[in-house]
Amino acid sequence: MIEGPYLLLAVVGSLVTGLMAGVFCAFSVLVMRGFAALPPAQGVAAMKAINSSATTPAFMVLFLGAAVLCAVIAVVTFVLWPDEGAVHLLLGSALYLSGAFGVTVVANVPRNEELAKLEPGTPEAVAYWPVYLRQWTRWNHVRAVASAASAVVYVLALV
């Protein structure tokens, strides 16, 4: 069993990555399905509103805080290499940093930026909306699975 600061890092890491998994999962199975059921102009407007609210401190502290924590766990683990749990701690960090944070940066945010350029009722927005829904949601599934896997691996570091 891991001890000392690694114990606290693994517990907090599992909590924040698990919480992010829940956020991403809820979006995939509830929010995006609800938006898909709306007429395209309404779906685009609703998603643009969500994207604007995602940059508020509450979400950003959780999302970026999880990334910072995972980075700290990885650096501390790699530099000090504890007797127990090192591989799990590194893997948990890598899963979140690449599969949740990295995917957000390279897949979801560019789609959000493209959507932000469009006016909800225009033909361009109506044409882009089904493509956006499919691609954004697919990448969001990746974020949910990666975050959940990260949480599980951090928990495994505790046993």
Side-chain angles (χ1 to χ4, degrees):
M1 169 120 173
I2 61 175
E3 298 175 349
Y6 295 106
L7 177 64
L8 179 61
L9 289 171
V11 168
V12 176
S14 65
L15 289 174
V16 296
T17 57
L19 186 54
M20 285 308 304
V23 169
F24 293 139
C25 182
F27 251 86
S28 284
V29 301
L30 300 172
V31 175
M32 297 310 284
R33 287 181 184 212
F35 288 171
L38 296 172
Q42 291 177 3
V44 169
M47 190 66 190
K48 286 176 71 169
I50 291 279
N51 287 339
S52 293
S53 68
T55 58
T56 59
F59 178 75
M60 294 308 286
V61 165
L62 178 60
F63 176 67
L64 294 176
V68 168
L69 179 63
C70 290
V72 167
I73 291 170
V75 169
V76 169
T77 300
F78 189 74
V79 170
L80 300 177
W81 205 267
D83 294 334
E84 303 284 332
V87 172
H88 288 102
L89 293 170
L90 291 173
L91 181 58
S93 296
L95 284 165
Y96 186 82
L97 290 171
S98 62
F101 185 78
V103 165
T104 299
V105 171
V106 301
N108 293 90
V109 168
R111 285 166 177 79
N112 292 344
E113 290 171 347
E114 186 65 29
L115 189 70
K117 297 175 191 174
L118 303 174
E119 287 302 316
T122 63
E124 296 84 11
V126 170
Y128 182 59
W129 181 239
V131 173
Y132 175 91
L133 273 171
R134 184 179 59 257
Q135 293 175 350
W136 192 96
T137 304
R138 184 180 306 134
W139 284 112
N140 195 61
H141 292 339
V142 172
R143 299 189 306 174
V145 170
S147 298
S150 176
V152 168
V153 173
Y154 280 145
V155 168
L156 292 174
L158 296 170
V159 294

